[in-house]
Amino acid sequence: MKTKSAEMVAARKPRKRFWAFGALTGIVGAGAFLAAVELVALLVAPRDGSPVIAAGSFVIDIVPRWAKELAIELFGEADKIVLLGSVGLAVVVAAAVIGVIELVRPPIGAILFGVAGALAVVAVVTRAGASPLASVPSIVGTIVGIIALRLLIGRLRRWRDGVWANVERPASVSVTAPGTPAAPSAKPTEGAPLKNVDRRGFLIMSGVVAAGAAIIGAGSRAITAATSSIANIRDALKIPAPRSTVTVPEGAELDIPGLTPLYTKNSDFYRVDTALTVPSIDPATWRLVIDGMVDKKVELSFQDLLDMGLDEYSITLTCVSNEVGGGLVGTAKWLGVPLRDVLALAGPKSGADMALSRSIDGYTASTPLSVVTDDGVDAILAVAMNGQPLPLEHGFPVRMVVPGLYGYVSATKWLTQITVTTFQKDEAYWTPRGYSAEAPIKMSSRIDTPRVDKQIAAGPTKIAGVAWAQTIGIEKVEVNIDEGGWQAATLSMPVNEDTWVQWFVDWEATAGTHYVAVRATDKQGNLQIEERAPIAPDGSSGWQRTLLRVG
């Protein structure tokens, strides 16, 4: 005979089993929510209907400086993929919990689902550039998700109650006289057909809702992408030939295996920004507004910009997140219009000292007005990169490129507005997050080859790398091997002061581990800063020192 505790354990097992089905129901309800969002967004708000993307963007906005630096250090350019995956995982976990709660404490789960939907609406409508109908997809999705959750939980509860009834109803016992045959007991399986019907109904309904959500969601997303493909528009765009081109002198690029190329391919160029997904902007509808402390407000179309005439520029860009010896730096040939000429159309007023640039996603950068209006600085609005229209992820159709300043105060992508103002009045995106409002790029040098993680053979070899000091230029690079004194490196022929140079020293490598350091001096006689400094608040510094292994 089963003891009372054994009976309780037997009754508890199906209860726990149904928690898993409740969690699955919550996830299916979330899938219905997302599918409805995608379908309605396709009709009314294709650009800004995704609550998952909006939530991820909100996380990027509120993340503290140390977390941002850690993410870039750990994941590099994959940080956005990791963030999206984390947000997606959080949605799945939350949906599962809501499903279990709705099963055991209805309608609290549905209420929590509604709260989550309301938060999704807030996340979407508070994004920069959100359309008036941006809230509609999330509102409809929340309604659909709650309906799906309630219907599925209702089916699941009927199945569960049938199982519980069979488990908890004790078998009838007939008391007979000794030796008398026991009377047949009532069949304990009378509820089995109904239980099987409830189970089958729940599983079929769950499968239909899940499959429908997957088909509708994926199909709507695919149609949205196909009907608003900015990639196709970019590929068909014809950029006028520049009035002037960059002359690359002979000897500007050294032929050394493992050395970074003089010009970075678009596909290899680093990307660090706050956009969780790449904005889609049609050049035909793009407008740049120049306002603030100006004589007159100006609005330019993409064609207006092209009509001003394009020139080619060779400029190295550096991210403030670049560590000593890091790879968040690259050089390209840019086609663009001098920013000073564009600002002159509006007429900046006396007393202004900042150009506050704004991206379509709300990101802002604070650039000293004196820099972008200086005749000696090639600050531009770029429309092409290495002979092609700007890649989507690098700011298509228009971005800022300013030599000598870290990207977070100058290189605004997907540019839509420039407000002439003052540093006292306005702050840009990263300033309240612990970064300097003005951030000149620090001179730096880097060893590219031999690699620290790869052993080389003994014998003659070259130690080589790149060095940069934008707007000033590199005068010399020196290398120290095993504390044996500094020796001058051979430099490539510089393209200009805004472009990095390559360098190398010949070395007779001997077996063992060797300690190598590099430093640079600019054309004003300034020696690269030796002391190490973190990337915040205004960029890292320090000589790169590394160990090389020779076999």
Side-chain angles (χ1 to χ4, degrees):
M1 177 182 295
K2 291 183 179 180
T3 64
K4 183 176 181 181
S5 60
E7 292 175 352
M8 292 176 63
V9 170
R12 191 179 298 119
K13 287 182 178 179
R15 285 182 170 87
K16 292 184 176 180
R17 180 180 67 181
F18 283 104
W19 287 1
F21 286 110
L24 176 63
T25 298
I27 295 172
V28 172
F33 163 80
L34 293 174
V37 167
E38 293 291 348
L39 180 60
V40 177
L42 172 64
L43 302 175
V44 301
R47 193 185 71 187
D48 48 18
S50 174
V52 175
I53 300 300
S57 299
F58 176 75
V59 171
I60 289 178
D61 286 348
I62 65 172
V63 70
R65 186 185 72 199
W66 64 265
K68 173 251 186 189
E69 295 169 1
L70 180 62
I72 293 177
E73 180 180 351
L74 293 177
F75 308 114
E77 296 182 38
D79 59 342
K80 295 176 180 61
I81 297 176
V82 173
L83 175 59
L84 267 178
S86 301
V87 172
L89 178 61
V91 170
V92 170
V93 172
V97 171
I98 286 175
V100 174
I101 292 175
E102 180 64 17
L103 175 65
V104 299
R105 291 288 187 273
I108 296 177
I111 293 173
L112 292 176
F113 201 115
V115 172
L119 293 176
V121 171
V122 172
V124 171
V125 300
T126 54
R127 298 308 302 162
S131 70
L133 298 177
S135 63
V136 175
S138 293
I139 292 174
V140 174
T142 300
I143 296 172
V144 171
I146 290 176
I147 292 174
L149 178 69
R150 296 283 289 173
L151 289 176
L152 290 173
I153 288 294
R155 286 275 188 175
L156 179 60
R157 192 174 290 111
R158 285 197 293 273
W159 174 22
R160 180 202 62 182
D161 292 345
V163 172
W164 282 10
N166 287 335
V167 171
E168 295 178 349
R169 183 170 55 240
S172 57
V173 179
S174 299
V175 180
T176 59
T180 303
S185 60
K187 294 181 180 180
T189 58
E190 291 176 351
L194 179 59
K195 177 183 70 176
N196 291 335
V197 169
D198 291 334
R199 177 179 60 192
R200 190 179 305 114
F202 168 75
L203 294 177
I204 290 175
M205 179 179 289
S206 298
V208 169
V209 174
I215 294 172
I216 293 173
S220 300
R221 171 55 59 181
I223 294 173
T224 299
T227 56
S228 59
S229 178
I230 298 301
N232 292 336
I233 295 174
R234 174 189 174 271
D235 292 342
L237 185 63
K238 301 299 181 184
I239 300 293
R243 300 174 301 186
S244 64
T245 59
V246 172
T247 299
V248 179
E250 186 176 351
E253 184 157 21
L254 305 176
D255 185 15
I256 298 175
L259 179 60
T260 299
L262 176 62
Y263 289 104
T264 310
K265 294 192 298 186
N266 290 356
S267 58
D268 295 336
F269 211 95
Y270 76 91
R271 179 196 167 195
V272 177
D273 52 56
T274 62
L276 191 55
T277 57
V278 177
S280 297
I281 308 174
D282 188 341
T285 60
W286 175 85
R287 295 293 184 273
L288 173 63
V289 174
I290 304 173
D291 59 9
M293 297 174 63
V294 294
D295 293 334
K296 63 175 180 178
K297 180 179 177 180
V298 172
E299 183 173 311
L300 299 176
S301 68
F302 188 72
Q303 189 59 50
D304 290 334
L305 202 61
L306 298 183
D307 290 343
M308 294 181 69
L310 303 177
D311 292 289
E312 187 177 61
Y313 302 85
S314 178
I315 300 173
T316 297
L317 295 186
T318 308
C319 180
V320 72
S321 297
N322 192 51
E323 297 280 3
V324 173
L328 299 180
V329 55
T331 301
K333 292 180 180 178
W334 311 89
L335 287 187
V337 176
L339 186 49
R340 59 180 173 270
D341 293 349
V342 176
L343 290 172
L345 298 175
K349 291 183 177 180
S350 176
D353 60 7
M354 182 219 285
L356 184 69
S357 53
R358 184 178 299 274
S359 169
I360 194 172
D361 67 347
Y363 174 84
T364 54
S366 56
T367 310
L369 190 61
S370 59
V371 173
V372 296
T373 56
D374 189 336
D375 290 339
V377 178
D378 287 332
I380 63 171
L381 297 186
V383 298
M385 180 180 182
N386 290 327
Q388 301 176 355
L390 288 173
L392 302 184
E393 65 273 19
H394 289 294
F396 182 82
V398 179
R399 67 170 295 169
M400 285 175 55
V401 174
V402 182
L405 296 178
Y406 284 116
Y408 82 96
V409 297
S410 67
T412 303
K413 303 174 185 177
W414 312 291
L415 181 69
T416 59
Q417 184 178 7
I418 299 176
T419 300
V420 178
T421 181
T422 66
F423 283 97
Q424 184 178 3
K425 178 182 178 182
D426 289 305
E427 284 186 323
Y429 184 90
W430 283 113
T431 305
R433 291 168 171 83
Y435 285 82
S436 298
E438 303 181 50
I441 294 175
K442 297 177 181 178
M443 174 175 38
S444 190
S445 54
R446 186 182 75 194
I447 299 171
D448 289 342
T449 184
R451 291 170 52 116
V452 66
D453 59 347
K454 185 176 181 181
Q455 181 173 294
I456 63 171
T461 188
K462 294 183 187 301
I463 301 175
V466 291
W468 57 93
Q470 284 97 330
T471 73
I472 299 173
I474 294 293
E475 179 65 29
K476 65 179 178 180
V477 172
E478 298 171 293
V479 175
N480 188 306
I481 304 172
D482 294 330
E483 302 293 345
W486 294 97
Q487 55 181 303
T490 300
L491 301 184
S492 65
M493 185 65 66
V495 176
N496 57 35
E497 285 76 18
D498 297 332
T499 304
W500 60 13
V501 295
Q502 299 172 327
W503 59 265
F504 75 92
V505 295
D506 290 311
W507 178 41
E508 188 66 34
T510 57
T513 300
H514 300 274
Y515 183 73
V516 180
V518 62
R519 69 184 185 186
T521 302
D522 67 21
K523 290 184 177 181
Q524 294 179 351
N526 300 307
L527 181 65
Q528 181 181 339
I529 300 172
E530 178 181 4
E531 294 76 18
R532 285 276 181 153
I535 64 175
D538 58 359
S540 65
S541 65
W543 297 347
Q544 183 184 4
R545 295 178 169 93
T546 188
L547 294 177
L548 302 181
R549 294 182 295 121
V550 181

